[in-house]
Amino acid sequence: MTTPRTLDTDQARTRLHELIVLDVRTPGEYAAGHLPGAHNIPLDHLDRALPDIRHAAQRGDILVVCASGARSENACHALAAHGITTATLAGGTGAWAADGHALHHPDGYPRTAWSMERQVRLTAGTVVLAGLALGRLRPAFRLASAAIAGGLAFSAVTNTCGMAALLAKLPHNRPRVGDLDATLAALRDR
């Protein structure tokens, strides 16, 4: 298994023309702004894309990006387990934009999608508040708040997020029909 490299935003910007950029965020997050030339392959579709990613890796270096770097690091480790050498962007698209580099917005997509982190915070906060409010009627509802607290602690320790994995399955976070197939075809043709 190979260890993924990390590129800072300036290193990635100077090499962007020669890199194959894979954005592993949800389609909504990707549509809200991504690195120029990035291909959207949501993290939960990585296994399906393995043959095409392997094919693309034979023709160029792969840079994996997400919002902050956590999902892309997980994707890099998953790809490394399959013998595919990759790099990740330190700080993700958030760092890219903060350093003044332009993000691309595809035509035909709404730009109102929330980041996965924001969706997780809303969902976790809502469940905690509901558990506390309903806990006044029946104390057992407080267990929902405790479960969310435990899940957040586990998420921090393991650098994974089960709630994000569940939210990624919602319709607004799924690729439109044909989008993933078109992305994989573009990787094959690259």
Side-chain angles (χ1 to χ4, degrees):
M1 177 158 81
T2 60
T3 304
R5 302 180 318 272
T6 300
L7 300 180
D8 64 34
T9 58
D10 289 329
Q11 292 171 316
R13 183 185 49 78
T14 59
R15 295 192 55 212
L16 196 58
H17 65 282
E18 65 188 52
L19 294 170
I20 300 166
V21 182
L22 303 180
D23 191 320
V24 295
R25 298 176 298 157
T26 66
E29 292 175 294
Y30 173 82
H34 57 269
L35 273 66
H39 301 280
N40 184 220
I41 301 177
L43 186 58
D44 60 337
H45 291 309
L46 209 57
D47 286 341
R48 176 179 171 203
L50 276 173
D52 298 307
I53 295 171
R54 183 175 285 111
H55 182 69
Q58 293 171 351
R59 294 185 314 278
D61 292 337
I62 294 183
L63 176 67
V64 183
V65 300
C66 68
S68 65
R71 283 179 280 177
S72 62
E73 186 176 327
N74 290 339
C76 286
H77 286 293
L79 293 170
H82 292 280
I84 301 171
T85 303
T86 58
T88 185
L89 179 63
T93 56
W96 181 268
D99 286 349
H101 305 305
L103 292 174
H104 177 75
H105 302 275
D107 297 330
Y109 273 93
R111 295 186 189 179
T112 58
W114 284 10
S115 70
M116 185 55 67
E117 179 186 352
R118 188 175 180 190
Q119 292 179 52
V120 167
R121 287 183 303 193
L122 174 70
T123 305
T126 301
V127 172
V128 167
L129 287 175
L132 292 174
L134 293 171
R136 293 181 62 91
L137 301 173
R138 289 193 170 238
F141 279 112
R142 292 184 188 147
L143 292 176
S145 298
I148 293 297
L152 290 172
F154 180 78
S155 175
V157 169
T158 62
N159 198 27
T160 62
C161 186
M163 187 178 292
L166 289 173
L167 292 172
K169 297 188 181 315
L170 293 175
H172 65 276
N173 286 325
R174 308 297 303 160
R176 293 190 297 188
V177 175
D179 282 355
L180 184 59
D181 291 333
T183 297
L184 298 178
L187 282 178
R188 283 190 294 273
D189 295 341
R190 184 172 160 101

